[in-house]
Amino acid sequence: NDQATHGAILEALDELNRKTTRDDVTVIFLAGHGINDGGFFFLPYDADLQHRYNTLIQGSLLQDSLLRLQGRVILFLDTCRAGSLEGSGDELRRRVDTTNFLNGLIYSSTGVVVFSAAAERQLSIESEDWKHGAFTKVLLEGLAGAADLTRDGKITPSELEAYLKDGVEKLTHEAQTPVANKSSSVPDFVLARVPGGK
């Protein structure tokens, strides 16, 4: 929340860059608002739309930071119900298209796997009842063990992808479909182990 400022996010990414090795799996979770203004921007806590290039995190900067990390990188991106810069009431303008940003990550690296909350131009749905967005709610359930579809005590990206798609679509009555993106050269691997599993 209030600790997720522009400076703090970039500092955390720099720290990860200093610490990660080729044997690590780095997991990054970003939840909040995103906008399009000639490219994807993530809005930190202290975002100011009047000074967007100084206070918003440009997708290209975020992309460069992630691509510098060694080892495997998992990005969970839950950017939800972002408004347009002009404040239009048109629902289509409140949808965030992260396609170019995601493609840049996927095709520039063989080590980055991205789970985004919604398909292109879909809304990422939130509810006070869940205390999260639909994507985050299902993600937390999945990583707690529900995504261990083979019941072997391990959760792989492919298992998590299947669990997220099914769970989010059911929760949102098919209004939202999460998307997993990765290079075809990235093999499946163990993303998480279930407590008490094998």
Side-chain angles (χ1 to χ4, degrees):
N1 293 329
D2 60 350
Q3 296 181 35
T5 62
H6 181 275
I9 292 172
L10 295 183
E11 183 178 337
L13 289 171
D14 282 342
E15 184 177 1
L16 283 173
N17 186 48
R18 293 192 299 270
K19 290 182 175 181
T20 54
T21 71
R22 59 188 299 178
D23 298 321
D24 290 325
V25 176
T26 302
V27 178
I28 297 174
F29 176 84
L30 290 175
H33 292 281
I35 63 169
N36 278 306
D37 182 36
F40 175 69
F41 289 80
F42 181 77
L43 278 64
Y45 182 83
D46 54 349
D48 180 352
L49 294 181
Q50 300 303 313
H51 301 91
R52 65 193 74 137
Y53 290 100
N54 294 323
T55 65
L56 276 57
I57 298 179
Q58 292 177 283
S60 58
L61 178 59
L62 182 57
Q63 183 182 97
D64 290 344
S65 297
L66 295 175
L67 293 177
R68 285 201 311 267
L69 297 175
Q70 297 187 65
R72 293 190 175 102
V73 179
I74 311 294
L75 172 64
F76 295 107
L77 186 62
D78 192 352
T79 52
C80 48
R81 298 190 72 88
S84 71
L85 290 179
E86 294 77 24
S88 168
D90 179 2
E91 185 174 86
L92 288 177
R93 296 184 65 82
R94 293 189 283 110
R95 301 175 186 227
V96 179
D97 182 2
T98 59
T99 303
N100 290 335
F101 166 66
L102 296 179
N103 286 342
L105 280 175
I106 302 312
Y107 296 114
S108 298
S109 171
T110 58
V112 179
V113 179
V114 182
F115 290 88
S116 51
E120 182 181 354
R121 301 189 183 282
Q122 285 183 339
L123 289 171
S124 183
I125 298 169
E126 293 181 313
S127 170
E128 286 295 326
D129 294 337
W130 307 331
K131 308 299 182 186
H132 298 290
F135 175 79
T136 299
K137 180 181 186 300
V138 177
L139 172 63
L140 292 173
E141 294 169 352
L143 291 177
D148 179 14
L149 304 181
T150 58
R151 299 293 181 255
D152 62 354
K154 304 169 187 175
I155 299 172
T156 65
S158 60
E159 285 180 302
L160 185 59
E161 176 183 3
Y163 183 80
L164 282 169
K165 182 177 185 300
D166 184 62
V168 172
E169 285 185 341
K170 285 181 179 176
L171 188 61
T172 64
H173 305 288
E174 300 189 352
Q176 180 180 336
T177 301
V179 179
N181 295 278
K182 69 181 180 67
S183 168
S184 59
S185 62
V186 177
D188 224 10
F189 59 92
V190 177
L191 172 58
R193 295 186 184 273
V194 179
K198 297 178 182 179

